[in-house]
Amino acid sequence: MKYPTDLTENQWQYIKKTMNLKERKRKYPLLLIWNSLMYLIKTGCQWRMLPKDFPKWQLVYYYYIRWTELGYFDLILEKLRMKVRIKKGQRAEASLGIMDSQSVRWGNNRGLHGVDGNKKIKGIKRHVLVDKNGFLIAVMVCVANIHDSKAGLLLLRLLREELMNFKCILADAGYRGDFLDKAHSLYSYLVKVVSRDKEKQAKKEFKPVSKRWVIERTFAWFDNDRRLCRNYELLHESSENMTKLSAIKLLLNKI
């Protein structure tokens, strides 16, 4: 049975080439495994509730863990982002980054969680960095009670370990305090805080903040996938991988 989330032949060939998959005899083709993951992300179903049209959930989960450990999701995300940027007439590597956090309600009471006192949300926070198109570059998940300025430094360390260079990173007023100085002294990143217009805010008028609205749209893209609108993952690493799969699904539709 065909599902709307199934990969097209062109999309599958791109993934196959990027992962350098070799042809060999398998009980289930790897295309079915990828279709299972895309279905899981979009519908938000449990692993054990995957339709019988797909391979057994244990096999799908096995490949999910294996590909995570081999770093294939990061590789595919990076290659796809570069391809789409070049297609849009941009440089392959982004020079401008936009960072922000998204508080997500918990859906699994066994997973680590905290309370975001500002937004009154119990769950986790996704700290995300995107390019000017809103395409995901990096994601780091933590409990919701950790302040953005502290978690933001962990995200920047992740970027530095992956040797990513940016001329400037835009952030909101949540990344205050000595965050800007530490970002520059520890990781050599220039972070610029872009705040809302105080007059507009006092009059309760909504006006998108220049450049920063892009990452808000990215969060809206994530919420379109039911697996991400709540945090159903037990581990933060799994939450990060689900976010990357969602971004991969989005970029595959743009190649």
Side-chain angles (χ1 to χ4, degrees):
M1 181 177 176
K2 291 283 291 183
Y3 292 94
T5 54
D6 287 354
L7 299 179
T8 65
E9 182 61 27
N10 184 42
Q11 292 171 342
W12 168 238
Q13 290 301 325
Y14 185 84
I15 288 179
K16 188 177 176 181
K17 181 180 178 182
T18 304
M19 296 177 66
N20 195 24
L21 297 175
K22 296 180 180 179
E23 295 287 349
R24 70 176 181 83
K25 214 171 189 180
R26 290 185 173 93
K27 184 176 181 180
Y28 297 103
L30 294 182
L31 172 59
L32 272 181
I33 305 296
W34 269 95
N35 285 341
S36 304
L37 293 175
M38 296 297 101
Y39 180 90
L40 190 83
I41 288 290
K42 186 63 180 178
T43 63
C45 73
Q46 296 174 335
W47 287 99
R48 290 171 174 80
M49 299 296 288
L50 279 171
K52 293 183 179 179
D53 304 291
F54 297 124
K56 291 183 178 180
W57 74 268
Q58 294 94 331
L59 181 63
V60 179
Y61 187 75
Y62 163 78
Y63 276 106
Y64 165 75
I65 294 297
R66 182 183 177 190
W67 291 339
T68 297
E69 293 173 348
L70 292 174
Y72 279 140
F73 295 150
D74 294 295
L75 175 64
I76 294 171
L77 178 61
E78 180 183 7
K79 296 296 183 183
L80 275 171
R81 187 178 64 248
M82 289 181 175
K83 183 177 178 64
V84 176
R85 284 180 59 88
I86 292 173
K87 186 178 178 181
K88 293 170 72 71
Q90 303 168 2
R91 293 176 54 199
E93 295 283 352
S95 58
L96 174 69
I98 308 169
M99 67 185 300
D100 203 352
S101 66
Q102 180 189 31
S103 297
V104 185
R105 296 185 187 279
W106 65 336
N108 183 349
N109 57 9
R110 294 181 300 161
L112 293 174
H113 59 274
V115 178
D116 182 350
N118 185 32
K119 297 180 180 178
K120 305 296 187 293
I121 291 178
K122 179 187 283 188
I124 63 164
K125 270 188 182 180
R126 292 191 196 107
H127 296 270
V128 171
L129 188 132
V130 302
D131 67 2
K132 67 178 184 179
N133 305 299
F135 302 149
L136 182 67
I137 296 177
V139 58
M140 193 274 297
V141 172
C142 66
V143 292
N145 56 290
I146 296 180
H147 195 273
D148 288 356
S149 59
K150 294 181 179 179
L153 289 174
L154 298 177
L155 181 61
L156 294 183
R157 186 176 73 177
L158 176 65
L159 294 173
R160 180 51 63 198
E161 288 174 354
E162 295 181 2
L163 303 177
M164 292 186 177
N165 296 313
F166 299 95
K167 292 182 180 178
C168 181
I169 296 177
L170 303 182
D172 65 6
Y175 298 92
R176 57 183 181 269
D178 57 356
F179 171 78
L180 303 181
D181 294 332
K182 286 185 177 179
H184 188 266
S185 61
L186 294 177
Y187 307 114
S188 303
Y189 285 126
L190 174 63
V191 180
K192 181 180 179 182
V193 173
V194 182
S195 303
R196 294 186 180 277
D197 191 316
K198 292 183 179 179
E199 292 184 6
K200 296 285 185 182
Q201 198 169 3
K203 295 178 181 178
K204 297 184 178 179
E205 293 181 14
F206 174 75
K207 185 178 180 181
V209 181
S210 177
K211 304 285 188 187
R212 261 198 38 226
W213 67 269
V214 172
I215 197 167
E216 300 297 340
R217 183 182 62 181
T218 303
F219 292 148
W221 287 340
F222 290 160
D223 287 339
N224 283 333
D225 293 329
R226 296 191 67 177
R227 191 78 184 191
L228 299 187
C229 64
R230 278 181 179 265
N231 180 51
Y232 296 105
E233 311 308 320
L234 185 62
L235 302 176
H236 290 168
E237 292 83 355
S238 187
S239 297
E240 293 169 359
N241 290 324
M242 289 296 174
T243 306
K244 292 171 186 176
L245 277 171
S246 177
I248 288 172
K249 183 171 69 67
L250 170 75
L251 288 170
L252 282 171
N253 292 325
K254 295 182 179 294
I255 61 174

